[in-house]
């Protein structure tokens, strides 16, 4: 992969990273809000799952969401490490060692497997 492409995917990874950090901040805030005032009026709050859920459900979902975001953040950091590393491992499939499709990397810049290996993993 040439420098220009690596730069492009570095940019994509950074964008994803910032997006996740913003998401995590948002969920963190609403979680604190729920802890502080569990009987408070949620209508002014933008937390869309608050509509019919109880406080414990909201907290549980916030936790699930956070761990999902946390895992994603981990994968993005790993991808950045591969990208900054000198062994050209970024964009290469961990399973078959072939280059990962660039159209796939555009959608999932932290992808570790090519499309073929990914679908094999998902189906068995
Ligand atoms: Zn592969």
């Amino acid at each position: 992969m040439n420098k220009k492409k690596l730069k492009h995917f570095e940019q994509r990874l950074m964008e994803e990273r910032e997006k996740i950090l913003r998401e995590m901040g948002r969920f963190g805030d609403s979680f604190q809000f729920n802890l502080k005032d569990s009987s408070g009026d949620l209508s002014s709050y933008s937390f869309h799952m608050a509509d019919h859920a109880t406080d414990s459900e909201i907290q549980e979902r916030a936790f699930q969401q956070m761990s999902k975001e946390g895992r994603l953040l981990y994968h993005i950091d790993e991808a950045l490490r591969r990208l900054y590393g000198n062994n050209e491992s970024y964009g290469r499939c961990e399973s078959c060692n072939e280059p990962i499709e660039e159209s796939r990397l555009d959608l999932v810049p932290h992808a570790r497997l090519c499309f073929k290996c990914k679908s094999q993993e998902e189906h068995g």
Side-chain angles (χ1 to χ4, degrees), residues 49-72:
M49 287 187 292
D51 288 337
H52 300 290
T54 67
D55 285 344
S56 68
E57 280 173 337
I58 293 166
Q59 284 170 14
E60 203 172 298
R61 281 180 216 184
F63 268 138
Q64 281 171 357
Q65 194 67 30
M66 268 197 277
S67 62
K68 193 185 122 211
E69 309 290 357
R71 276 200 299 276
L72 203 51

Side-chain angles (χ1 to χ4, degrees), residues 23-114:
E23 286 286 301
M24 286 174 100
R26 193 161 63 86
F27 278 109
D29 286 349
S30 45
F31 182 63
Q32 275 176 6
F33 176 88
N34 285 324
L35 281 183
K36 264 188 239 158
D37 185 7
S38 58
S39 62
D41 179 20
L42 289 169
S43 63
S44 62
Y45 218 72
S46 65
F47 198 65
H48 63 279
M49 287 187 292
D51 288 337
H52 300 290
T54 67
D55 285 344
S56 68
E57 280 173 337
I58 293 166
Q59 284 170 14
E60 203 172 298
R61 281 180 216 184
F63 268 138
Q64 281 171 357
Q65 194 67 30
M66 268 197 277
S67 62
K68 193 185 122 211
E69 309 290 357
R71 276 200 299 276
L72 203 51
L73 196 64
Y74 169 80
H75 285 305
I76 286 171
D77 282 350
E78 284 294 299
L80 280 167
R81 241 192 293 278
R82 290 199 299 277
L83 192 142
Y84 292 134
N86 291 322
N87 55 1
E88 296 183 9
S89 57
Y90 178 76
R92 210 163 264 284
C93 177
E94 276 185 5
S95 176
C96 67
N97 213 31
E98 291 293 319
I100 298 173
E101 298 82 357
E102 275 170 29
S103 55
R104 173 159 162 73
L105 285 175
D106 255 329
L107 286 173
V108 191
H110 58 278
R112 288 172 304 124
L113 297 171
C114 71

